[in-house]
PDB file of all heavy atoms in Angstrom:
ATOM      1  N   SER O  63     113.372 100.323  99.798  1.00 87.00           N
ATOM      2  CA  SER O  63     112.560 101.387 100.410  1.00 87.00           C
ATOM      3  C   SER O  63     112.123 102.426  99.378  1.00 87.00           C
ATOM      4  O   SER O  63     111.044 103.012  99.508  1.00 87.00           O
ATOM      5  CB  SER O  63     113.321 102.045 101.566  1.00 87.00           C
ATOM      6  OG  SER O  63     114.501 102.660 101.105  1.00 87.00           O
ATOM      7  N   THR O  64     112.927 102.645  98.352  1.00 86.00           N
ATOM      8  CA  THR O  64     112.575 103.614  97.315  1.00 86.00           C
ATOM      9  C   THR O  64     111.367 103.154  96.499  1.00 86.00           C
ATOM     10  O   THR O  64     110.482 103.943  96.177  1.00 86.00           O
ATOM     11  CB  THR O  64     113.777 103.859  96.380  1.00 86.00           C
ATOM     12  OG1 THR O  64     114.858 104.346  97.155  1.00 86.00           O
ATOM     13  CG2 THR O  64     113.439 104.844  95.290  1.00 86.00           C
ATOM     14  N   GLU O  65     111.309 101.869  96.207  1.00 86.00           N
ATOM     15  CA  GLU O  65     110.233 101.392  95.346  1.00 86.00           C
ATOM     16  C   GLU O  65     108.921 101.143  96.070  1.00 86.00           C
ATOM     17  O   GLU O  65     107.904 100.956  95.431  1.00 86.00           O
ATOM     18  CB  GLU O  65     110.676 100.149  94.583  1.00 86.00           C
ATOM     19  CG  GLU O  65     111.223  99.022  95.420  1.00 86.00           C
ATOM     20  CD  GLU O  65     110.183  97.993  95.788  1.00 86.00           C
ATOM     21  OE1 GLU O  65     109.496  97.484  94.922  1.00 86.00           O
ATOM     22  OE2 GLU O  65     110.071  97.709  96.983  1.00 86.00           O
ATOM     23  N   VAL O  66     108.904 101.187  97.369  1.00 83.00           N
ATOM     24  CA  VAL O  66     107.684 100.886  98.129  1.00 83.00           C
ATOM     25  C   VAL O  66     106.548 101.841  97.778  1.00 83.00           C
ATOM     26  O   VAL O  66     105.452 101.407  97.403  1.00 83.00           O
ATOM     27  CB  VAL O  66     107.955 100.915  99.654  1.00 83.00           C
ATOM     28  CG1 VAL O  66     106.663 100.908 100.437  1.00 83.00           C
ATOM     29  CG2 VAL O  66     108.804  99.739 100.060  1.00 83.00           C
ATOM     30  N   ILE O  67     106.769 103.120  97.892  1.00 80.00           N
ATOM     31  CA  ILE O  67     105.683 104.091  97.714  1.00 80.00           C
ATOM     32  C   ILE O  67     105.172 104.117  96.278  1.00 80.00           C
ATOM     33  O   ILE O  67     103.959 104.085  96.049  1.00 80.00           O
ATOM     34  CB  ILE O  67     106.132 105.489  98.181  1.00 80.00           C
ATOM     35  CG1 ILE O  67     106.335 105.437  99.679  1.00 80.00           C
ATOM     36  CG2 ILE O  67     105.132 106.553  97.776  1.00 80.00           C
ATOM     37  CD1 ILE O  67     106.791 106.693 100.329  1.00 80.00           C
ATOM     38  N   THR O  68     106.074 104.129  95.309  1.00 81.00           N
ATOM     39  CA  THR O  68     105.600 104.185  93.920  1.00 81.00           C
ATOM     40  C   THR O  68     104.814 102.938  93.553  1.00 81.00           C
ATOM     41  O   THR O  68     103.787 103.023  92.876  1.00 81.00           O
ATOM     42  CB  THR O  68     106.765 104.371  92.934  1.00 81.00           C
ATOM     43  OG1 THR O  68     107.694 103.297  93.097  1.00 81.00           O
ATOM     44  CG2 THR O  68     107.462 105.697  93.154  1.00 81.00           C
ATOM     45  N   LYS O  69     105.241 101.789  94.030  1.00 81.00           N
ATOM     46  CA  LYS O  69     104.539 100.565  93.653  1.00 81.00           C
ATOM     47  C   LYS O  69     103.228 100.384  94.395  1.00 81.00           C
ATOM     48  O   LYS O  69     102.304  99.778  93.857  1.00 81.00           O
ATOM     49  CB  LYS O  69     105.459  99.365  93.804  1.00 81.00           C
ATOM     50  CG  LYS O  69     106.543  99.409  92.733  1.00 81.00           C
ATOM     51  CD  LYS O  69     107.319  98.153  92.640  1.00 81.00           C
ATOM     52  CE  LYS O  69     108.334  98.272  91.517  1.00 81.00           C
ATOM     53  NZ  LYS O  69     109.223  97.131  91.470  1.00 81.00           N
ATOM     54  N   ILE O  70     103.101 100.915  95.598  1.00 79.00           N
ATOM     55  CA  ILE O  70     101.806 100.887  96.276  1.00 79.00           C
ATOM     56  C   ILE O  70     100.809 101.712  95.471  1.00 79.00           C
ATOM     57  O   ILE O  70      99.681 101.279  95.214  1.00 79.00           O
ATOM     58  CB  ILE O  70     101.896 101.409  97.720  1.00 79.00           C
ATOM     59  CG1 ILE O  70     102.565 100.375  98.619  1.00 79.00           C
ATOM     60  CG2 ILE O  70     100.512 101.761  98.270  1.00 79.00           C
ATOM     61  CD1 ILE O  70     102.805 100.859 100.038  1.00 79.00           C
ATOM     62  N   LEU O  71     101.213 102.901  95.060  1.00 84.00           N
ATOM     63  CA  LEU O  71     100.309 103.759  94.287  1.00 84.00           C
ATOM     64  C   LEU O  71      99.970 103.150  92.931  1.00 84.00           C
ATOM     65  O   LEU O  71      98.813 103.162  92.514  1.00 84.00           O
ATOM     66  CB  LEU O  71     100.921 105.149  94.115  1.00 84.00           C
ATOM     67  CG  LEU O  71     101.063 105.962  95.402  1.00 84.00           C
ATOM     68  CD1 LEU O  71     101.843 107.238  95.142  1.00 84.00           C
ATOM     69  CD2 LEU O  71      99.700 106.264  96.003  1.00 84.00           C
ATOM     70  N   LEU O  72     100.969 102.599  92.256  1.00 85.00           N
ATOM     71  CA  LEU O  72     100.709 101.969  90.963  1.00 85.00           C
ATOM     72  C   LEU O  72      99.743 100.798  91.099  1.00 85.00           C
ATOM     73  O   LEU O  72      98.806 100.656  90.303  1.00 85.00           O
ATOM     74  CB  LEU O  72     102.020 101.480  90.335  1.00 85.00           C
ATOM     75  CG  LEU O  72     102.923 102.550  89.761  1.00 85.00           C
ATOM     76  CD1 LEU O  72     104.274 101.964  89.395  1.00 85.00           C
ATOM     77  CD2 LEU O  72     102.277 103.205  88.556  1.00 85.00           C
ATOM     78  N   TYR O  73      99.933  99.977  92.116  1.00 81.00           N
ATOM     79  CA  TYR O  73      99.048  98.836  92.318  1.00 81.00           C
ATOM     80  C   TYR O  73      97.629  99.297  92.654  1.00 81.00           C
ATOM     81  O   TYR O  73      96.657  98.749  92.142  1.00 81.00           O
ATOM     82  CB  TYR O  73      99.566  97.908  93.418  1.00 81.00           C
ATOM     83  CG  TYR O  73      98.686  96.704  93.605  1.00 81.00           C
ATOM     84  CD1 TYR O  73      98.830  95.585  92.791  1.00 81.00           C
ATOM     85  CD2 TYR O  73      97.675  96.684  94.558  1.00 81.00           C
ATOM     86  CE1 TYR O  73      98.001  94.481  92.929  1.00 81.00           C
ATOM     87  CE2 TYR O  73      96.840  95.587  94.708  1.00 81.00           C
ATOM     88  CZ  TYR O  73      97.019  94.492  93.896  1.00 81.00           C
ATOM     89  OH  TYR O  73      96.190  93.418  94.041  1.00 81.00           O
TER      90      TYR O  73
END
Side-chain angles (χ1 to χ4, degrees):
S63 62
T64 301
E65 53 94 52
V66 168
I67 293 179
T68 58
K69 290 191 178 174
I70 286 175
L71 293 173
L72 286 170
Y73 182 83

